[in-house]
Amino acid sequence: MYTLSIAYDGKRIASWDFADALSAVHEFDKCVDAGDSKEYATYNLSEPNGKMHTKNFYRNGKVTQK
């Protein structure tokens, strides 16, 4: 099971589960801005093997990805 979760300013606001990698990655790729956050948005995509991919978008324009 793949899980995509979204947090605004450190507060989790939503998460979705996906059975396949292609659907999960497709939705993760749609995460491209700070959304409705005040300071930053964090998007996490976790894989069944425990690996996690993270994107952070800040209001000042800074973007980090792990």
Side-chain angles (χ1 to χ4, degrees):
M1 185 75 57
Y2 296 82
T3 302
L4 173 62
S5 62
I6 300 173
Y8 288 162
D9 305 310
K11 182 179 177 186
R12 189 174 186 168
I13 63 158
S15 67
W16 298 270
D17 293 327
F18 300 90
D20 65 287
L22 190 58
S23 297
V25 170
H26 179 70
E27 291 302 314
F28 186 64
D29 287 344
K30 291 181 182 179
C31 302
V32 295
D33 61 27
D36 292 331
S37 68
K38 291 181 181 178
E39 294 183 32
Y40 66 96
T42 302
Y43 302 95
N44 291 312
L45 175 61
S46 59
E47 298 181 18
N49 64 8
K51 185 174 183 178
M52 184 173 294
H53 307 270
T54 301
K55 295 181 191 178
N56 290 300
F57 294 90
Y58 297 86
R59 285 279 164 209
N60 66 5
K62 180 180 174 184
V63 178
T64 62
Q65 190 167 355
K66 296 179 189 178

